[in-house]
Amino acid sequence: MAKTDNSTRYRVKPGSKVELQQHDPGYDNGYTKGSPEVEEKLARDLDRICEWQEKLYAESKQALLIVLQGMDASGKDGTISHVMRGLNPQGCAVASFKVPTPQELAHDFLWRIHQKTPARGQIAVFNRSHYEDVLAVRVRKLVPQAVWKARYDQINDFESMLTQNGTRIVKLFLHISREEQKKRLQKRLEDPKKHWKYSPVDDQDSRLWNRYVTAYEEALSRCSMEAAPWYVIPADRKWYRNLAVAEIVEQTLAEMKPQWPQRPEAPAEGGEHV
Ligand code: AMP
Ligand code: MG
């Protein structure tokens, strides 16, 4: 079966209205888990990502920012460990954004974010991001409505400024179903290796599911831009989520097309010593 190209299929067209109900979290594009086709494609995309990263680092003219968002247990940590595992740590950083500290709260909401954006030549992965300030903050009513409502434009302006300064931004929403989330949160309670991931806040947030859906739909609809698109990734199947994310990251780097720098001028033979 001919497979569709993930990097266009899941992209949110700028200006379009996202309804998450229209996106199947269990979609697998006709692939079969564990098939040679899947294994080979993933390995190929991961290899290419590594090759592109070397060039990006050597070139040092552009940066890549990958934003990961999703409900609790949607697989943000798993995506980072599976898709970013081949990267050279020297050119790559992960930033995780938690409940803001008092110092962070004393600044505008983008202050802590801007400190973690990638330098030229670097890849940065955000595990949660400035979008929490129109998601958790909105749903949990942490600031007045007028404050979070103004943030969509502020986010678009901030991201436009970054892209105009050489940073490519890819925003990935890991889309899971409520049933899958329940299963995964339950597992955190049962599996000793997952206890550490459990937080009572997750259960509170899970009860606020519908409000999170509304908040995500508005963020995805209002903040998908040509140069900083949102993607809705089907994420109920972890293996497919990894495949789709790797493909999108690879294609983004291919579009950025970093180049090996030119050979430097060699000193002229027999040149004078000063
Ligand atoms: P985790 O990613 O599981 O470590 O959880 C981090 C928690 O911090 C989540 O419950 C987020 O919703 C919360 N969080 C992240 N950023 C913010 C923010 N700007 N305001 C309030 N809560 C936040
Ligand atoms: Mg959590």
Side-chain angles (χ1 to χ4, degrees), residues 59-109:
E59 181 197 65
S60 276
K61 287 192 175 151
Q62 332 170 56
L64 174 62
L65 169 59
I66 302 168
V67 171
L68 284 176
Q69 283 286 163
M71 304 279 196
D72 289 307
S74 59
K76 298 182 286 295
D77 296 321
T79 302
I80 292 170
S81 64
H82 283 94
V83 181
M84 312 302 160
R85 62 169 40 145
L87 293 179
N88 178 351
Q90 193 147 237
C92 174
V94 178
S96 296
F97 295 97
K98 312 275 182 187
V99 175
T101 62
Q103 193 198 18
E104 287 168 347
L105 278 178
H107 291 82
D108 68 88
F109 75 106

Side-chain angles (χ1 to χ4, degrees), residues 20-204:
L20 288 177
Q21 255 189 5
Q22 309 293 324
H23 298 255
D24 175 8
Y27 187 73
D28 64 10
N29 204 356
Y31 284 105
T32 307
K33 181 183 181 182
S35 64
E37 184 188 22
V38 164
E39 302 296 321
E40 280 160 26
K41 177 173 166 44
L42 182 63
R44 194 171 59 239
D45 281 339
L46 293 182
D47 278 352
R48 286 189 188 148
I49 290 173
C50 278
E51 287 164 20
W52 285 124
Q53 187 205 7
E54 266 191 72
K55 286 191 185 169
L56 188 81
Y57 187 79
E59 181 197 65
S60 276
K61 287 192 175 151
Q62 332 170 56
L64 174 62
L65 169 59
I66 302 168
V67 171
L68 284 176
Q69 283 286 163
M71 304 279 196
D72 289 307
S74 59
K76 298 182 286 295
D77 296 321
T79 302
I80 292 170
S81 64
H82 283 94
V83 181
M84 312 302 160
R85 62 169 40 145
L87 293 179
N88 178 351
Q90 193 147 237
C92 174
V94 178
S96 296
F97 295 97
K98 312 275 182 187
V99 175
T101 62
Q103 193 198 18
E104 287 168 347
L105 278 178
H107 291 82
D108 68 88
F109 75 106
L110 292 169
W111 179 75
R112 67 173 182 164
I113 306 295
H114 205 167
Q115 293 176 53
K116 301 287 182 181
T117 55
R120 293 189 183 92
Q122 300 275 323
I123 298 178
V125 184
F126 281 3
N127 184 346
R128 302 186 190 269
S129 64
H130 42 304
Y131 283 94
E132 289 294 320
D133 293 279
V134 289
L135 295 165
V137 167
R138 166 180 176 171
V139 169
R140 297 188 205 139
K141 300 192 165 85
L142 302 178
V143 299
Q145 191 181 54
V147 173
W148 62 255
K149 278 216 156 163
R151 288 181 173 165
Y152 299 100
D153 289 340
Q154 292 164 2
I155 288 174
N156 287 340
D157 287 347
F158 173 67
E159 291 184 3
S160 299
M161 183 276 292
L162 292 177
T163 55
Q164 285 161 22
N165 282 278
T167 301
R168 180 69 176 253
I169 308 175
V170 178
K171 299 173 292 196
L172 307 171
F173 169 62
L174 305 182
H175 181 36
I176 54 165
S177 62
R178 198 168 186 181
E179 297 67 46
E180 182 64 22
Q181 188 198 43
K182 280 192 183 140
K183 260 196 254 165
R184 292 186 192 177
L185 290 179
Q186 187 58 33
K187 194 137 192 248
R188 289 185 179 180
L189 285 172
E190 288 163 6
D191 182 348
K193 282 195 277 187
K194 297 199 185 248
H195 287 343
W196 67 276
K197 284 199 164 202
Y198 177 79
S199 151
V201 179
D202 298 349
D203 286 333
Q204 287 164 24

